[in-house]
Amino acid sequence: MNYVFTTIYPGSKKYFNEFIESLNEQSNKNFKIFIVLNGTSLSKTQKKKILNEYTIFNTNTAWQNARIKGLKKLLKLNPKNIIFIDSDDLMRADRIKNNLKEIKKYNFVVNNCYLFKKEKKVNKNWLSRKRGDIKLSHIKYKNFIGCTNTIVRAKSLKKIINKINVNLTAFDWCMAKLLLIKKFKGLYTSTPLSYYRQYAQNTSSLIEITQKKVLKDIEYKIEHYKYFEKFGINYTKQILELENKFKKINNKKYYSMIKKKFKSNNQYWWSSI
């Protein structure tokens, strides 16, 4: 069976009705839903809105750990494919249909997204990237593979789940790299099938930047690089460059340069630093 996997936490719960509606509207109904409730709950009224069969896993821990614990629980149910979607984002009505068609020849598939703030009808395409196979070099220094636009074969995820570092902020980037290091085959499709909400709670924003956020992003990227040096990827030069950026970020002229770079089109996660 195919499973949609999502994590609901207190900050995303307010989007539940809109989120579940996008799942209920899927043209392909061949899926169940696995919901991780992290430090929150769903009312009887909210549960009644879920039309597909679903499983709820309750936990109350750091969000990275909640996601890993939920995935390990889901893998015990022997799913065929796992369709990731963040609970503050939405699916286009044909996303699951398209994802399941594309995954037949691949271990994981990543689709483009629409970026939106409040209303999904007011949106723009995220990436201008062309359709094609995904290579490790494509995500060595930046990322476009997320928990809102990816479907993974469960058998492939099982092979790398214990190597996903729960201390890393960029869970999706970590998962994607491990899949590619393991030589699993990935495909990027340029058709936007997910609606990716842009607001302050985004881990790595694609539309706005602050000095505080840049400092956090540098920290997250350094810890990510240090972990993947264990897998034979040399990031010595990049870590030194990031540490130097961290020291210089309080310089107004330098920060202005970072902001200018961030405003460029076709922004990837973690690519502005």
Side-chain angles (χ1 to χ4, degrees), residues 141 173 217-225 242 270 273:
Y141 307 114
W173 197 9
D217 282 359
I218 290 173
E219 289 180 1
Y220 298 154
K221 204 167 184 179
I222 288 173
E223 65 186 21
H224 178 91
Y225 282 174
L242 286 169
W270 316 106
I273 53 172

Side-chain angles (χ1 to χ4, degrees), residues 1-192:
M1 175 55 71
N2 306 300
Y3 274 85
V4 168
F5 178 88
T6 195
T7 301
I8 299 176
Y9 57 96
S12 70
K13 189 176 176 180
K14 60 185 175 182
Y15 302 113
F16 176 80
N17 289 347
E18 193 179 6
F19 165 75
I20 206 65
E21 184 180 351
S22 78
L23 268 62
N24 291 340
E25 292 177 347
Q26 289 300 302
S27 58
N28 186 316
K29 307 294 185 183
N30 183 28
F31 66 93
K32 296 180 182 180
I33 304 171
F34 191 96
I35 301 171
V36 177
L37 291 178
N38 188 27
T40 190
S41 61
L42 293 178
S43 66
K44 290 182 179 179
T45 301
Q46 287 174 316
K47 290 178 181 178
K48 286 180 180 179
K49 293 180 182 292
I50 308 173
L51 300 185
N52 285 64
E53 184 178 337
Y54 65 91
T55 298
I56 288 178
F57 175 70
N58 291 286
T59 188
N60 190 5
T61 184
W63 65 266
Q64 300 101 315
N65 195 37
R67 187 173 277 155
I68 293 293
K69 286 174 68 177
L71 282 171
K72 287 182 176 180
K73 187 75 173 180
L74 171 55
L75 288 172
K76 291 180 180 179
L77 301 179
N78 295 316
K80 183 177 182 181
N81 298 300
I82 299 173
I83 304 146
F84 287 89
I85 180 72
D86 282 335
S87 58
D88 49 4
D89 297 330
L90 308 169
M91 288 187 182
R92 207 172 83 172
D94 58 346
R95 180 187 163 189
I96 291 179
K97 175 185 175 183
N98 279 279
N99 280 177
L100 292 178
K101 178 182 177 182
E102 300 284 13
I103 197 73
K104 291 177 181 178
K105 296 181 180 180
Y106 289 86
N107 300 100
F108 68 101
V109 174
V110 181
N111 56 259
N112 200 359
C113 299
Y114 296 109
L115 304 183
F116 79 107
K117 288 187 177 181
K118 294 182 179 180
E119 298 182 28
K120 72 175 186 178
K121 63 182 179 182
V122 183
N123 64 67
K124 65 175 183 177
N125 286 15
W126 175 22
L127 297 173
S128 59
R129 186 182 188 89
K130 294 182 180 178
R131 175 189 172 95
D133 289 0
I134 301 170
K135 299 179 180 179
L136 184 59
S137 60
H138 296 163
I139 60 167
K140 188 174 182 180
Y141 307 114
K142 57 189 179 182
N143 188 37
F144 58 90
I145 301 168
C147 287
T148 210
N149 65 336
T150 303
I151 176 174
V152 182
R153 286 195 187 193
K155 287 183 179 180
S156 303
L157 185 59
K158 278 184 180 180
K159 298 289 185 180
I160 58 103
I161 188 72
N162 289 326
K163 292 182 179 179
I164 297 177
N165 188 337
V166 296
N167 296 314
L168 298 183
T169 298
F171 160 87
D172 40 19
W173 197 9
C174 180
M175 178 182 72
K177 272 188 178 172
L178 290 171
L179 286 168
L180 291 168
I181 287 170
K182 197 70 175 176
K183 305 299 182 183
F184 287 124
K185 195 175 179 183
L187 171 71
Y188 169 77
T189 63
S190 56
T191 304

Side-chain angles (χ1 to χ4, degrees), residues 225-243:
Y225 282 174
K226 285 183 176 179
Y227 180 66
F228 276 93
E229 285 199 315
K230 298 177 182 179
F231 296 88
I233 304 176
N234 188 348
Y235 282 118
T236 304
K237 179 182 176 182
Q238 288 72 30
I239 291 171
L240 288 173
E241 288 175 348
L242 286 169
E243 289 174 342

Side-chain angles (χ1 to χ4, degrees), residues 115-117 124 126 196-200 202 204-210 213 259 262-264 267-269:
L115 304 183
F116 79 107
K117 288 187 177 181
K124 65 175 183 177
W126 175 22
Y196 180 39
R197 191 183 303 273
Q198 298 300 292
Y199 68 129
N202 291 135
S204 182
S205 178
L206 297 173
I207 62 170
E208 60 183 350
I209 196 170
T210 64
K213 206 162 187 62
K259 285 185 72 175
F262 182 87
K263 290 179 180 178
S264 62
Q267 179 78 29
Y268 286 67
W269 287 308

